[in-house]
Amino acid sequence: MPLKIEDLKPTEGSRKAKKRVGRGSGSGLGKTSGKGHKGQKARGSGKISKIFEGGQTNIIRRTPKYGFTNKPFKKVYSIVNVETLEKYFSENEEITPEILLEKKIIKKLNDGVKILGKGEITKPLVVKANLFSRSAKEKIEAVGGKTEVIQ
C-alpha cells in the first residue's frame, strides 16, 4: 500500500507540549511559574552576565594588565619581494616607492617600503627603499644591482 501525505504524522513523543506557566496552582507551574521565591533569577528578565561571579570581583578584573604596546608609534611597511621586482622591471631600471605605487605593486605607501628576499633575481636593478632584508640586499647586489636606503 503506497504512503500518502495525509497519512503522515509525527512520531510519539517528538512533539513536546509548550510549558504553560502561571495558569493556576493545579497546573504545577502556577503562582511563581517555576521560578521559586524571590532572588535575581525570579525577577524581571532574570539575566545575569556571563562574567558575573556572585558579587566577587570577576576574573577579567582580577587578572593584571601586563606587557607593552607600541601602537601609537608602530611603523607599518609595504612589503615587496625580489621575485616581484624580477617580474615587473627590466634591467638597470630604477625602482622607487612611487614607481611601485604607480605600477600597483603596492596598494599604499604606509610608513615606507621594505624589500624582502623571497624568490630569485637575475637582472641588475637600482632599488631605492626604506628598508631591505639582509637576503634581499645580498641577492640584488650579487647580480650587479644597487640598493639605496631612503628616508
Side-chain angles (χ1 to χ4, degrees):
M1 190 165 143
L3 185 68
K4 293 180 187 159
I5 198 150
E6 58 267 20
D7 295 333
L8 292 176
K9 61 181 180 183
T11 54
E12 190 66 37
S14 69
R15 304 279 296 203
K16 195 173 176 186
K18 185 182 164 212
K19 197 186 275 189
R20 295 182 76 232
V21 296
R23 297 291 185 276
S25 58
S27 70
L29 289 168
K31 195 183 166 218
T32 55
S33 304
K35 285 177 173 252
H37 293 276
K38 299 187 180 178
Q40 190 173 15
K41 290 183 183 174
R43 303 176 191 283
S45 64
K47 288 188 180 125
I48 303 163
S49 155
K50 279 185 242 175
I51 61 167
F52 185 68
E53 295 181 21
Q56 170 179 295
T57 306
N58 55 46
I59 189 110
I60 292 165
R61 292 175 68 191
R62 284 197 312 264
T63 50
K65 294 182 199 166
Y66 67 94
F68 168 76
T69 179
N70 195 27
K71 214 171 198 169
F73 305 105
K74 184 182 177 184
K75 298 236 184 235
V76 178
Y77 292 97
S78 299
I79 289 169
V80 180
N81 284 301
V82 289
E83 66 184 3
T84 311
L85 300 178
E86 171 77 19
K87 191 163 47 172
Y88 288 98
F89 297 97
S90 56
E91 268 188 46
N92 297 316
E93 201 171 336
E94 191 176 286
I95 301 160
T96 62
E98 291 75 30
I99 292 168
L100 293 170
L101 196 63
E102 202 176 284
K103 286 196 171 191
K104 293 188 175 146
I105 294 167
I106 56 173
K107 288 187 182 114
K108 216 158 91 172
L109 265 179
N110 296 322
D111 290 315
V113 175
K114 182 171 183 175
I115 309 295
L116 300 182
K118 186 181 173 204
E120 293 303 316
I121 189 166
T122 55
K123 307 168 200 166
L125 298 167
V126 178
V127 186
K128 295 179 179 182
N130 302 80
L131 287 172
F132 291 90
S133 71
R134 191 181 299 128
S135 62
K137 199 169 190 172
E138 286 168 3
K139 285 178 183 181
I140 293 166
E141 289 169 356
V143 294
K146 290 180 188 153
T147 58
E148 192 181 312
V149 177
I150 57 171
Q151 292 307 323

